[in-house]
Coordinates of all heavy atoms in Angstrom, one line a residue:
L1 N 91.7 97.4 100.2 CA 92.1 98.0 101.6 C 91.4 97.1 102.7 O 91.9 97.0 103.8 CB 91.6 99.5 101.6 CG 92.3 100.4 100.8 CD1 91.6 101.8 100.6 CD2 93.8 100.6 101.2
R2 N 90.2 96.7 102.4 CA 89.4 95.8 103.3 C 90.1 94.5 103.6 O 90.1 94.0 104.7 CB 88.0 95.6 102.8 CG 87.0 94.7 103.8 CD 85.8 94.1 103.0 NE 86.2 93.3 101.9 CZ 85.4 92.9 101.0 NH1 84.1 93.2 101.1 NH2 85.7 92.0 100.1
D3 N 90.6 94.0 102.7 CA 91.2 92.5 102.6 C 92.7 92.5 102.8 O 93.2 91.4 102.4 CB 90.7 91.9 101.3 CG 89.2 91.6 101.1 OD1 88.6 91.7 102.4 OD2 88.7 91.4 100.2
L4 N 93.4 93.5 103.4 CA 94.8 93.4 103.4 C 95.3 92.2 104.1 O 96.2 91.5 103.6 CB 95.3 94.6 104.2 CG 95.2 95.9 103.6 CD1 95.6 97.0 104.5 CD2 96.1 95.9 102.3
D5 N 94.8 91.7 105.1 CA 95.2 90.7 106.0 C 94.8 89.3 105.4 O 95.6 88.3 105.4 CB 94.7 90.8 107.4 CG 95.2 92.0 108.2 OD1 96.5 92.1 108.3 OD2 94.4 92.8 108.6
E6 N 93.6 89.3 104.7 CA 93.2 88.1 104.1 C 94.1 87.8 102.9 O 94.4 86.6 102.7 CB 91.7 88.2 103.7 CG 91.1 86.9 103.1 CD 89.6 87.2 102.7 OE1 89.0 88.0 103.5 OE2 89.2 86.6 101.8
D7 N 94.3 88.8 102.1 CA 95.3 88.6 101.0 C 96.6 88.3 101.3 O 97.3 87.4 100.7 CB 95.2 89.9 100.1 CG 93.9 90.2 99.4 OD1 93.2 89.2 99.2 OD2 93.6 91.4 99.2
A8 N 97.1 88.8 102.5 CA 98.4 88.4 103.0 C 98.7 87.0 103.2 O 99.7 86.4 103.1 CB 98.7 89.3 104.3
K9 N 97.5 86.3 103.8 CA 97.6 84.9 104.1 C 97.8 84.1 102.8 O 98.2 82.9 102.8 CB 96.3 84.5 104.8 CG 96.2 85.1 106.2 CD 94.8 84.7 106.8 CE 94.6 85.3 108.2 NZ 93.3 85.0 108.7
R10 N 97.3 84.6 101.6 CA 97.6 84.0 100.3 C 98.8 84.4 99.7 O 99.2 84.1 98.6 CB 96.4 84.3 99.4 CG 95.1 83.7 99.9 CD 94.1 83.8 98.7 NE 92.8 83.2 99.0 CZ 91.8 83.7 99.4 NH1 91.7 85.0 99.5 NH2 90.7 83.0 99.7
G11 N 99.7 85.2 100.4 CA 101.0 85.7 99.8 C 100.9 86.9 98.9 O 101.6 87.2 98.1
R12 N 99.8 87.6 99.0 CA 99.5 88.7 98.1 C 99.5 90.0 98.9 O 99.0 90.2 99.9 CB 98.1 88.5 97.3 CG 98.1 87.2 96.6 CD 96.6 86.9 96.1 NE 96.5 85.7 95.4 CZ 95.4 85.0 95.1 NH1 94.3 85.7 95.4 NH2 95.5 84.0 94.4
L13 N 99.9 91.0 98.1 CA 99.9 92.4 98.6 C 99.7 93.4 97.5 O 100.6 93.5 96.6 CB 101.3 92.7 99.3 CG 101.4 94.2 99.8 CD1 100.5 94.5 101.0 CD2 102.8 94.5 100.2
Y14 N 98.5 94.0 97.4 CA 98.2 94.7 96.2 C 98.5 96.1 96.3 O 98.3 96.8 95.4 CB 96.6 94.5 96.0 CG 96.2 93.1 95.6 CD1 95.6 92.3 96.6 CD2 96.4 92.7 94.3 CE1 95.2 91.0 96.2 CE2 95.9 91.3 94.0 CZ 95.4 90.6 95.0 OH 94.8 89.2 94.7
L15 N 98.9 96.6 97.6 CA 99.3 98.0 97.6 C 100.4 98.3 96.7 O 101.4 97.7 96.7 CB 99.7 98.4 99.0 CG 98.7 98.2 100.2 CD1 99.2 98.5 101.5 CD2 97.4 99.0 99.9
P16 N 100.3 99.3 95.9 CA 101.4 99.7 94.9 C 102.7 100.0 95.5 O 102.7 100.7 96.6 CB 100.7 100.9 94.1 CG 99.2 100.8 94.3 CD 99.1 100.2 95.7
K17 N 103.8 99.7 94.8 CA 105.1 99.9 95.6 C 105.4 101.4 95.5 O 106.0 101.8 96.5 CB 106.1 99.3 94.6 CG 106.3 99.7 93.2 CD 107.3 98.9 92.5 CE 107.7 99.5 91.1 NZ 108.7 98.7 90.4
E18 N 104.8 102.2 94.7 CA 105.0 103.7 94.7 C 104.3 104.3 96.0 O 104.8 105.2 96.7 CB 104.3 104.4 93.5 CG 105.1 104.0 92.2 CD 104.6 102.9 91.5 OE1 103.8 102.1 92.1 OE2 104.8 102.8 90.2
A19 N 103.1 103.7 96.5 CA 102.4 104.1 97.6 C 103.2 103.8 98.9 O 103.4 104.6 99.9 CB 101.0 103.5 97.7
L20 N 103.9 102.6 98.8 CA 104.7 102.0 99.9 C 106.0 103.0 100.0 O 106.3 103.4 101.1 CB 105.1 100.7 99.8 CG 104.0 99.6 99.8 CD1 104.5 98.2 99.5 CD2 103.2 99.6 101.3
A21 N 106.6 103.3 98.9 CA 107.8 104.0 98.8 C 107.5 105.4 99.4 O 108.3 106.0 100.2 CB 108.5 104.0 97.5
G22 N 106.3 105.9 99.0 CA 106.0 107.3 99.5 C 105.8 107.4 100.9 O 106.0 108.5 101.4
A23 N 105.5 106.4 101.6 CA 105.4 106.2 103.0 C 106.6 105.7 103.7 O 106.7 105.7 104.9 CB 104.3 105.3 103.3
G24 N 107.7 105.6 102.9 CA 109.0 105.2 103.4 C 109.0 103.7 103.9 O 109.7 103.3 104.8

């Protein structure tokens, strides 16, 4: 959660797809 933007620069997104889908 802390490193969302830093990971994005490396092309990574660790948030689970179920959590994203649950938020639409």
